[in-house]
Amino acid sequence: MTTPDLRAETDGSGRAQRPLLEAKGLYKSYGEVDAVSGVDFALDGNSYVTLLGPSGCGKTSILRMIGGFEEITSGALTLDGARLDEIPAARRPINTVFQSYALFPHLSVLDNVAFGLSYRGIPRSRIRPTALEALKTVRMEAMADRRPRQLSGGQQQRVALARAIVNEPRLLLLDEPLSALDRRMRKDMQIELKDLQRRLGMTFLHVTHDQEEAFALSDRIIVMRNGRIEQQGRPDHIYARPNTAYVADFIGGAVCVPGEVVDRQAVDVILDTALGRFQIPGAPPLTAGMAAVLCLRPENLSLASDGLPARVTHCVYRGSDWIVECESAGQLLQATALDTPPPPGSDVKLSFDPARAWAAAAEQGVSA
Amino acid sequence: MRGLPGQIGTWLAMPVVAALVALCLAPLLILLAYSFFQVDFVAISRDPTFANYVKIAGSETYRGLIARAFGSALLVVAITAVIGYPVAWFIAKRVTGAKSTLLTLLLVPLYSGDLVRIFAWRVLLGAEGAINRTLMWLGLTTEPLAGLLFSPLATHIALTYNYLPFMVIGLWLAFESLDDAWLEAAADLGAPAADRFRRVTLPLTSPGLIAGGLMVFVMVAGDYLTPQLLGGASGITIISAVNDLFGTAFDWPLGSAIAWTMLAILMLCFGAGALAIRRTALVSEGV
């Protein structure tokens, strides 16, 4: 993996076109509870974006506001520069794949897919062929006459997709679409979803709590927490350059060693931790005196002849390599080893490349 | 040993089955047998004949009364459905805490007797009743509206009021199992409100509509107290005709034949309703 450029936040293409969808200060409260507390983001055309966060972080509320199923408490949503909030759900050029699929149980698969076509000014004679075409896209044309309940979860998922994309929406919303599928099916559907998005050139906004899914699918990830955006950007950028300890932990389980920023030098910060003092790249908002964490991922830490003294506590074989759990200066760390590591209790040395380590803001830190 | 619990169940059900056969089915079959007999002056001749059924089919009075009974039933089903849909939707989808209270309130009128409710309507609709007095007090009319009480209008108002709870309960159950996501999906796909009702709500609540409708239909068709006490001159029903035939005229065979004609039509309706409920789950609208 190449270390991404810190300034890669603009996606590198340097386009200045208007975004497809824009949320400004989007806010949603249910009585006393704030589900979404002022978020700003923009979606480009022809892109796959995921809203990632644990349950209750407000991601589904955002999706439902875009779909038109929830009113916006305050803030603005624009699609192609036009305000979206006054348009009822039925007239938005946006379609949704619901978490439960919400296929109409009284209609056949074909009639489900054809449902929306009668509202799009398509001649009656074209409705059936168009619906069949969409079913072909998701390889479900053989099931056209079945009822939804006669289909497996994966098949229902495909029909729900066909029913949404047949209307050629400007934006497709997917609400945890893979959560009801088993692991294997989920992997297959991830590939199909990404492939479908590329073929159709549509923008997909996908809500999930599964960071693996987000990585597999997205051009851009928006990490959410407690109704706010914690960080957004390209997947590799978020993975390598998490702004906060929360993101570092949520995305790919980094070990976070608490410390304090002593000094800031351009891209790098000098960080004091229980393990020692390091000069490593750090999140942009970090300045001297701020609490920060040293993020170390297992793949960045290896057993070496020289480095941090540590004691092996546990080893897990993963097939391609070993995860070695070690303790160093009271900190639990995880390293990878290609060869069989020494047994628990052994003293080892751990080394890491400071350029690949990362300092993120500690808890109650910045939110970008 | 494995078959035993099932067998015990069968044996335990036996007394109930026996009671049903003896007390419900047997009288009906006796009635059916009577419908093929004939009255010969004061005795009953037991030569089987279709004469009673021919008489019903040939009599404009009986045909008219039967048609009116089912016509009234259909009308009341339609009115209760129109009133019941919003009420059931409201209880199922908009009420959270007070749901059981509202459902109980809905059923409270049923706890009071038929007669009490019917006479309550007399108080409301009568010439000196609450409605007429209010209208006159407001100066909207100078004399009481005559058609309010002792008219088909009064009968149907009271019938609707009496049997509305059954329709609401049927629809409420259907709405409880109606997933809001289906309506959101319909809106998402571009369907305006009227189409969401016609293409999604109506078909998916139709089992409740049919079940509630059948209950109302049967009960209105069999109700003779309400028309008799509120309908005035229009209060003669096929049921009161059966009553007269058994009681006053001593023509049990003709009474039985009318009763069985009604029963057969109602069973046909039930069969059609049951079939329709099954169809709603299996057949789809064409593209």
Side-chain angles (χ1 to χ4, degrees):
Chain A
M1 197 182 98
T2 55
T3 310
D5 178 8
L6 253 184
R7 287 148 299 183
E9 199 44 40
T10 51
D11 281 352
S13 61
R15 269 159 315 157
Q17 57 167 228
R18 191 170 60 191
L20 174 71
L21 180 108
E22 208 166 4
K24 277 194 183 137
L26 198 58
Y27 196 95
K28 175 76 197 174
S29 66
Y30 300 97
E32 308 240 311
V33 187
D34 290 349
V36 180
S37 334
V39 300
D40 303 272
F41 63 90
L43 306 181
D44 286 330
N46 189 11
S47 64
Y48 205 121
V49 183
T50 43
L51 274 168
L52 175 65
S55 59
C57 71
K59 56 193 195 301
T60 297
S61 296
I62 292 180
L63 206 71
R64 291 178 60 79
M65 283 191 276
I66 299 173
F69 311 119
E70 302 271 0
E71 292 209 9
I72 297 171
T73 306
S74 68
L77 270 178
T78 54
L79 186 81
D80 291 322
R83 280 187 67 142
L84 204 54
D85 32 313
E86 285 136 19
I87 305 173
R91 292 218 304 274
R92 298 187 186 192
I94 295 172
N95 285 114
T96 309
V97 175
F98 293 85
Q99 183 170 12
S100 56
Y101 313 140
L103 295 175
F104 303 121
H106 59 300
L107 301 182
S108 71
V109 163
L110 186 69
D111 292 337
N112 262 283
V113 177
F115 192 96
L117 289 175
S118 43
Y119 304 107
R120 301 194 59 242
I122 289 177
R124 261 191 103 71
S125 60
R126 287 294 309 148
I127 287 182
R128 209 184 138 87
T130 311
L132 270 174
E133 200 56 46
L135 279 174
K136 246 177 223 149
T137 316
V138 295
R139 293 185 282 111
M140 284 295 292
E141 69 273 24
M143 305 283 179
D145 296 326
R146 298 267 183 102
R147 287 299 187 102
R149 76 181 58 149
Q150 296 170 293
L151 306 181
S152 71
Q155 289 171 329
Q156 291 187 28
Q157 166 75 80
R158 279 167 219 267
V159 175
L161 256 176
R163 185 176 70 172
I165 60 171
V166 74
N167 304 299
E168 295 170 4
R170 301 279 291 130
L171 172 64
L172 182 72
L173 307 175
L174 302 111
D175 185 8
E176 303 252 8
L178 308 180
S179 60
L181 304 180
D182 63 52
R183 195 177 160 77
R184 225 197 112 70
M185 183 71 88
R186 204 152 51 204
K187 297 268 177 222
D188 292 347
M189 276 309 290
Q190 282 173 8
I191 294 168
E192 278 191 48
L193 276 176
K194 180 67 198 163
D195 191 50
L196 193 66
Q197 185 271 322
R198 221 171 303 161
R199 266 189 294 154
L200 297 172
M202 234 173 239
T203 297
F204 283 25
L205 180 61
H206 181 127
V207 158
T208 182
H209 61 268
D210 180 345
Q211 85 282 357
E212 253 182 80
E213 193 170 298
F215 280 127
L217 293 167
S218 319
D219 300 316
R220 188 178 175 81
I221 296 178
I222 301 173
V223 185
M224 294 211 45
R225 179 194 190 191
N226 293 338
R228 293 176 196 282
I229 293 178
E230 194 83 354
Q231 189 170 2
Q232 50 181 317
R234 275 176 10 203
D236 55 349
H237 191 269
I238 288 183
Y239 185 81
R241 303 296 186 230
N243 275 350
T244 62
Y246 174 79
V247 177
D249 181 47
F250 192 73
I251 306 273
V255 169
C256 295
V257 182
E260 196 191 314
V261 178
V262 184
D263 196 12
R264 168 123 220 159
Q265 297 174 349
V267 177
D268 286 356
V269 293
I270 314 281
L271 189 67
D272 246 353
T273 71
L275 300 177
R277 175 175 288 202
F278 305 101
Q279 177 171 0
I280 52 172
L286 286 179
T287 53
M290 285 176 75
V293 292
L294 167 65
C295 303
L296 290 170
R297 288 214 161 79
E299 68 266 26
N300 293 343
L301 211 56
S302 57
L303 302 181
S305 52
D306 192 28
L308 299 165
R311 173 163 293 169
V312 178
T313 56
H314 193 67
C315 299
V316 180
Y317 185 52
R318 289 202 304 184
S320 57
D321 56 6
W322 291 79
I323 293 286
V324 187
E325 273 187 19
C326 305
E327 203 210 297
S328 178
Q331 286 295 322
L332 215 54
L333 301 175
Q334 289 189 330
T336 45
L338 290 174
D339 303 318
T340 312
S346 316
D347 286 319
V348 290
K349 294 270 185 356
L350 297 175
S351 79
F352 65 89
D353 177 3
R356 291 200 163 221
W358 178 257
E363 283 311 297
Q364 317 103 30
V366 282
S367 71
Chain B
M1 280 302 281
R2 283 187 67 191
L4 208 56
Q7 277 176 7
I8 289 174
T10 311
W11 287 114
L12 284 176
M14 273 304 161
V16 181
V17 174
L20 277 176
V21 169
L23 300 173
C24 196
L25 211 54
L28 278 178
L29 289 176
I30 293 171
L31 219 58
L32 180 64
Y34 263 98
S35 73
F36 295 109
F37 299 159
Q38 277 251 280
V39 175
D40 192 7
F41 291 109
V42 286
I44 284 175
S45 117
R46 297 182 182 234
D47 292 328
T49 165
F50 281 102
N52 293 315
Y53 290 99
V54 173
K55 195 171 179 181
I56 297 165
S59 152
E60 210 154 296
T61 315
Y62 290 136
R63 277 208 322 258
L65 283 176
I66 291 173
R68 213 171 71 191
F70 289 117
S72 269
L74 267 184
L75 178 67
V76 174
V77 167
I79 299 171
T80 51
V82 170
I83 302 173
Y85 256 103
V87 175
W89 170 82
F90 181 80
I91 296 175
K93 299 294 182 187
R94 282 292 171 274
V95 177
T96 46
K99 201 172 271 189
S100 53
T101 313
L102 275 182
L103 285 170
T104 310
L105 278 176
L106 189 72
L107 296 178
V108 159
L110 296 182
Y111 299 153
S112 63
D114 276 346
L115 281 173
V116 176
R117 275 176 287 159
I118 291 168
F119 278 100
W121 277 108
R122 280 195 175 189
V123 172
L124 280 175
L125 299 173
E128 294 284 297
I131 291 175
N132 270 327
R133 287 212 165 186
T134 310
L135 288 177
M136 285 162 72
W137 179 74
L138 287 172
L140 293 172
T141 56
T142 47
E143 49 193 81
L145 297 174
L148 222 45
L149 189 60
F150 302 125
S151 67
L153 177 69
T155 308
H156 286 98
I157 289 176
L159 286 172
T160 302
Y161 165 79
N162 265 2
Y163 299 115
L164 182 65
F166 298 95
M167 178 61 92
V168 173
I169 294 291
L171 288 174
W172 167 69
L173 283 171
F175 269 112
E176 283 291 339
S177 58
L178 181 78
D179 190 346
D180 288 337
W182 286 323
L183 294 176
E184 285 183 353
D188 187 69
L189 294 168
D195 277 24
R196 295 202 285 275
F197 181 77
R198 185 177 61 79
R199 293 181 74 181
V200 180
T201 308
L202 194 58
L204 290 176
T205 53
S206 62
L209 177 65
I210 295 169
L214 275 179
M215 279 194 282
V216 174
F217 187 81
V218 169
M219 285 187 287
V220 172
D223 189 319
Y224 72 100
L225 265 183
T226 313
Q228 193 169 314
L229 295 175
L230 296 177
S234 71
I236 299 163
T237 57
I238 190 72
I239 306 293
S240 62
V242 171
N243 189 30
D244 290 344
L245 282 170
F246 272 88
T248 327
F250 284 110
D251 193 345
W252 283 35
L254 184 57
S256 304
I258 295 175
W260 262 91
T261 308
M262 292 290 286
L263 199 59
I265 296 174
L266 284 176
M267 283 197 286
L268 273 178
C269 294
F270 253 98
L275 209 67
I277 290 181
R278 278 185 54 191
R279 269 172 57 98
T280 54
L282 292 172
V283 177
S284 96
E285 74 185 53
V287 174

